[in-house]
Amino acid sequence: MKLILLGAPGAGKGTVAKLLTKMDGSVQISTGDILRGAVAAGTELGKQAEAAMKAGDLVSDDLIMGIMEERLKEDDCKAGYLLDGFPRTIPQAEALKVLLEKMGEKLDCAVEIDVPRDVILDRLTTRRTCTGCGEIYNVKSNPPAVEGKCDKCGEPVVQRDDETEEAISNRLNVYNDQTAPLVGFYKDEGLLLSVNATSSDAVIDAIKEKTERLMTVTQS
Ligand code: ADP
Ligand code: ZN
C-alpha cells in the first residue's frame, strides 16, 4: 500500500504508521524523523532545518522535495510506504504527484486523521520522544518503564524542542494554514479517506476496510 497520512500534529500519524508497517511490511517515512536525525547528527541538512523546526515553522519545500526524491527511490519502498508528515503544503503535494508519475507509481489513499483540538493540545504537552529511536511515549497514558529512559533502546526520552506551548500553538496554526488545504486537494484527486477517531485502532480499522475494498476493485 502507498498511503499518505494527513492530520494535525498530535493526531496520531506516527502511531498509526508504526502499527500499519507491522501489518503489511511497508515502510514508514517520516520527514520529521529524517530531519530530527539530521539535526542530531549535525549534517548540512540538519543545520538548514534546525531553526525553522525549533520555532514550529515549516522547512522549505525545496529541501523537503530533495529528501523525498532520494528516499522514495530506495529499495525498501517497493513493498509500499506510509508517508507521515509529508506532503505538508500544496506545492509539496503537486511536486509529489509529478514525481510519482515520473516513477510510474500511484498512491492508494490519503488518510485524514481528524482529532478535536483539545485532545491534540493535551497529547502534545504530555508527549515525550526517544532521542535514540524516535519511539513515542506519553507521561500520562504510556510512560516508559523507567522514567526518562526508552524501553526499546535505553536512550533518553525527552520533550521535543518544538513541544513548548508557544511552538505547539504555532505548529497548529501552520497546520491549519498550510497543510489543511491538502484535504481538499486529495478529495479532488479521489484519494481521500477522512477518519474521525481518537483511537489509533479505530483509524487502522477504517484504513483496512477502505484498502481491502480498493484491493478487491483492483483485482476484479
Ligand atoms: P508533527 O507532525 O508532530 O508536527 P513532525 O515530526 O512531522 O511533527 O515534524 C516536525 C517539524 O519538522 C515540523 O514542525 C517542520 O518544521 C519539519 N517538517 C517535517 N516534515 C515537513 C514537511 N513535509 N515540510 C516542511 N517541514 C517539515
Ligand atoms: Zn528508543
Side-chain angles (χ1 to χ4, degrees), residues 130-135 137 150-157:
C130 172
T131 50
C133 70
E135 185 72 8
Y137 297 91
C150 181
D151 295 348
K152 286 201 167 161
C153 75
E155 292 297 310
V157 169

Side-chain angles (χ1 to χ4, degrees), residues 43 56 59 88-89 95-96 104 124 128 138 154 158 185 196 198 218:
T43 63
V59 169
R88 248 208 195 39
T89 63
L96 175 66
L124 290 177
R128 299 293 181 271
N138 184 290
V158 302
F185 179 93
N196 198 293
T198 46
T218 350

Side-chain angles (χ1 to χ4, degrees), residues 83-218:
L83 304 184
D84 159 15
F86 170 86
R88 248 208 195 39
T89 63
I90 293 281
Q92 288 179 20
E94 278 165 350
L96 175 66
K97 192 177 167 184
V98 173
L99 177 64
L100 291 179
E101 272 163 15
K102 251 196 311 196
M103 294 171 72
E105 289 182 11
K106 264 185 82 173
L107 291 170
D108 293 298
C109 186
V111 183
E112 180 206 10
I113 308 173
D114 190 12
V115 174
R117 192 181 166 102
D118 56 327
V119 176
I120 297 247
L121 279 174
D122 187 56
R123 278 187 190 167
L124 290 177
T125 46
T126 54
R127 179 155 89 175
R128 299 293 181 271
T129 308
C130 172
T131 50
C133 70
E135 185 72 8
I136 291 166
Y137 297 91
N138 184 290
V139 286
K140 286 197 221 156
S141 60
N142 175 32
V146 179
E147 199 188 320
K149 200 171 160 191
C150 181
D151 295 348
K152 286 201 167 161
C153 75
E155 292 297 310
V157 169
V158 302
Q159 185 162 31
R160 272 166 41 180
D161 271 356
D162 60 357
E163 283 175 353
T164 61
E165 224 171 286
E166 200 186 343
I168 288 172
S169 111
N170 189 38
R171 278 160 65 207
L172 292 175
N173 290 339
V174 167
Y175 180 80
N176 286 335
D177 294 346
Q178 307 203 53
T179 310
L182 294 186
V183 171
F185 179 93
Y186 286 111
K187 193 170 181 195
D188 291 344
E189 298 275 310
L191 290 172
L192 187 69
L193 168 69
S194 279
V195 189
N196 198 293
T198 46
S199 100
S200 35
D201 287 340
V203 177
I204 302 264
D205 285 345
I207 295 173
K208 271 204 271 185
E209 198 200 300
K210 163 94 176 182
T211 51
E212 266 159 25
R213 239 187 303 138
L214 273 176
M215 282 193 261
T216 359
V217 174
T218 350

